Amino acid sequence: LRDAWQHLEKDQRALLALHAEGYTLEELHEITDLTTDVLKARLYRARVRLGKLLAMEGATVAAAMER
Amino acid sequence: MNCHDVSTILDDRRERQLTAAERCAIDEHLATCADCDLAWRAHAALLEQPIPPAPPGLLAAAFAMIAGDAPAPRRVSSRVVLGGAILAAGAALAAVTYVTLPERSIDEIAPVAGPAGPATIPATADSSEEPSQPVAAPAGGAARSPQGGSRLPDSLVLPLLRLAPIYPKAAREENLEGDVMLEFTITDHGSVEDAVVVDSTDPVFDAAAMVALSRWKYLPRVVNGRSVAQEGVRTVIRFVLQGGPAPVADENASERPPEPTRGIDFDTFEGLIEPAFECLAAQELRCAELVLDEIMATYEVGEHAVVIWEFYGYIFTQYGDYGRAIAAYQSAIDHGGLTQQVSLAHLYFERHQYDMALRTLLDYSERIETLGGRLSPGVLEFIERLRVLGISEDVL
């Protein structure tokens, strides 16, 4: 996760971190002034991106272990 | 079940309260939708992370980023409104930035003692660790609790007043050196209580370490405008003998000599400053400020000037008067103070002067290195966070 996290955009990192800490969409809306729809979309994109980075990481590790 | 439904479940963090039927439907969807599958995994991985603390104010920058602005100066008033949220959420960003950090070790500055003198100087590395955690672990507990109002560094707890322990005669005769780790509570008026020895290389040092620590004074942590006790604080007091007369190369030496050569001695100074701590305990900042004013006007405080200025910096920070707080910490540094650079960096950070914050920290780390010490975990973490925000030496 460490490396994947580093490759994430900063705003995605911040948003995911806040959400992971327990902030609800409503609270995030109050904090950022973004609508909940926008926040939902951004959260989803951020998760998919992080998921991809994690998958890449896993693939690299698997490849390294095969060698 | 579609992508929107899956996303909503994750947004609401409802993934652990699903019915069997829902879970089934989700699995079906995840099997056919690569994106949702990735999102699900990422969400799970994130929630597994432990949450270490962060300095307050970090989230202001995070908010600005999410909203699509560059971290720009915000009015203090807007941060005050967000206070509680910022501080509580401060832990979140750090939670994940923490995993990017390398292994960390406890602050270490080797102090030395002249062969003739009875005193050695304690090197300290305080961190508000949870009692159950090992020394090098991150300060886990402190910042998870809400700390509205506090703008002081919360991952670094440094004593304002330190009395050097007496080197035990038996240890000196046997040329024995050692460390004592103590755990204690900092009361709401900054005194040390309930100290216990957690670890010690030799019991011969325990008593001396306990006696010295009991006289130390800390600036209490402030939560929602009230000073509060802080439990589970740890420090390491180190006893080191030096073969020959050597210059004292310690963090302490430059700011808090145990035996001032001019001005007033530790006992006198302790008596003078005690009323200021009583004011703090009564939540009377202005009263504490007046006590300091009087000391400064009446006495030749000599080397204790660092302590006075640091105290001023603390009070002004609580007032929210960052300009004066910065000037006070700067005065402490001008009088040879070292650790006040960390407080100064936090203030710059609060004012969104990230470049100044980083510059101050780098200067601090250089000075620590010159003294043969290592940076504390809290400072390393702070520097790392500034880098995460995109501020590095390169842009300076």
Side-chain angles (χ1 to χ4, degrees):
Chain A
L1 184 65
R2 175 187 309 199
D3 295 336
W5 185 254
Q6 279 293 54
H7 284 93
L8 211 55
E9 299 300 322
K10 277 184 210 156
D11 58 342
Q12 293 186 325
R13 252 184 266 179
L15 188 57
L16 282 180
L18 286 177
H19 184 258
E21 171 65 3
Y23 280 77
T24 64
L25 288 177
E26 223 18 74
E27 286 165 337
L28 289 173
H29 157 68
E30 277 172 30
I31 290 165
T32 62
D33 285 339
L34 298 174
T35 67
T36 49
D37 284 342
V38 171
L39 286 167
K40 275 182 81 74
R42 288 204 190 181
L43 269 173
Y44 186 75
R45 276 206 303 276
R47 279 190 206 112
V48 172
R49 170 122 174 85
L50 182 60
K52 277 184 183 153
L53 289 165
L54 283 172
M56 273 165 56
E57 222 178 35
T60 314
V61 172
M65 283 172 74
E66 274 169 28
R67 266 179 228 136
Chain B
M1 190 67 62
N2 57 31
C3 298
H4 181 266
D5 297 334
V6 170
S7 183
T8 301
I9 288 169
L10 294 183
D11 288 344
D12 298 341
R13 267 183 301 275
R14 220 159 49 73
E15 68 279 351
R16 280 168 210 260
Q17 293 124 41
L18 299 172
T19 63
E22 277 177 319
R23 179 71 228 190
C24 230
I26 284 170
D27 285 344
E28 256 175 48
H29 178 76
L30 294 186
T32 58
C33 177
D35 275 1
C36 282
D37 188 48
L38 289 170
W40 192 277
R41 286 166 195 273
H43 179 78
L46 268 181
L47 292 193
E48 276 171 19
Q49 292 306 305
I51 314 274
L58 181 61
L59 265 287
F63 297 151
M65 280 194 279
I66 298 167
D69 309 327
R74 270 174 183 243
R75 298 186 63 81
V76 169
S77 59
S78 70
R79 283 209 308 277
V80 171
V81 173
L82 288 166
I86 287 174
L87 298 173
L93 198 59
V96 206
T97 49
Y98 169 67
V99 297
T100 68
L101 295 176
E103 288 296 312
R104 302 178 309 176
S105 59
I106 197 155
D107 205 358
E108 207 172 273
I109 295 177
V112 292
T120 185
I121 299 158
T124 68
D126 294 4
S127 52
S128 18
E129 293 164 343
E130 286 178 333
S132 61
Q133 287 181 314
V135 182
R144 292 211 67 174
S145 53
Q147 297 166 33
S150 169
R151 289 184 183 80
L152 289 176
D154 51 48
S155 52
L156 192 66
V157 186
L158 291 165
L160 183 72
L161 270 186
R162 279 189 279 208
L163 177 69
I166 293 166
Y167 213 103
K169 194 158 166 273
R172 178 175 294 281
E173 281 167 359
E174 289 177 37
N175 275 333
L176 193 63
E177 300 185 337
D179 299 337
V180 181
M181 179 188 287
L182 302 119
E183 187 173 302
F184 53 98
T185 298
I186 301 172
T187 67
D188 59 358
H189 48 282
S191 301
V192 170
E193 268 180 15
D194 303 331
V196 289
V197 173
V198 178
D199 196 10
S200 162
T201 53
D202 193 307
V204 71
F205 296 112
D206 293 4
M210 288 279 276
V211 167
L213 180 68
S214 68
R215 299 272 307 271
W216 289 15
K217 295 290 273 184
Y218 287 78
L219 289 168
R221 181 185 292 272
V222 175
V223 176
N224 295 324
R226 297 187 65 86
S227 42
V228 296
Q230 209 178 335
E231 292 174 14
V233 180
R234 287 185 177 193
T235 195
V236 175
I237 295 182
R238 177 152 294 184
F239 294 79
V240 180
L241 288 163
Q242 185 81 0
V248 175
D250 173 55
E251 184 182 353
N252 263 350
S254 55
E255 53 175 332
R256 299 177 191 108
E259 291 171 299
T261 50
R262 63 188 174 87
I264 44 189
D265 64 16
F266 183 91
D267 288 344
T268 311
F269 184 69
E270 189 189 29
L272 289 175
I273 207 162
E274 182 57 34
F277 280 100
E278 280 162 19
C279 295
L280 282 192
Q283 321 294 337
E284 297 276 355
L285 288 174
R286 177 70 188 143
C287 151
E289 190 187 344
L290 290 172
V291 172
L292 298 183
D293 289 347
E294 195 180 325
I295 296 173
M296 287 296 258
T298 318
Y299 297 91
E300 173 62 55
V301 291
E303 290 84 348
H304 298 301
V306 174
V307 173
I308 300 268
W309 284 116
E310 180 172 359
F311 210 135
Y312 272 126
Y314 173 87
I315 292 171
F316 296 150
T317 305
Q318 301 309 328
Y319 286 162
D321 189 345
Y322 294 169
R324 283 168 81 201
I326 285 175
Y329 284 124
Q330 195 60 60
S331 293
I333 294 160
D334 292 345
H335 281 85
L338 185 57
T339 54
Q340 291 77 17
Q341 284 188 302
V342 180
S343 305
L344 186 60
H346 276 266
L347 284 175
Y348 281 133
F349 191 96
E350 277 294 316
R351 303 222 303 189
H352 297 275
Q353 292 172 277
Y354 303 127
D355 53 340
M356 288 299 287
L358 188 61
R359 206 186 292 264
T360 305
L361 286 178
L362 293 175
D363 185 44
Y364 172 73
S365 76
E366 227 170 72
R367 288 175 68 193
I368 291 279
E369 255 171 49
T370 310
L371 292 169
R374 272 190 284 160
L375 288 182
S376 73
V379 172
L380 287 174
E381 209 170 324
F382 193 4
I383 292 174
E384 183 67 24
R385 279 176 197 143
L386 285 168
R387 294 206 170 113
V388 168
L389 286 173
I391 302 128
S392 69
E393 301 96 299
D394 308 341
V395 302
L396 294 179

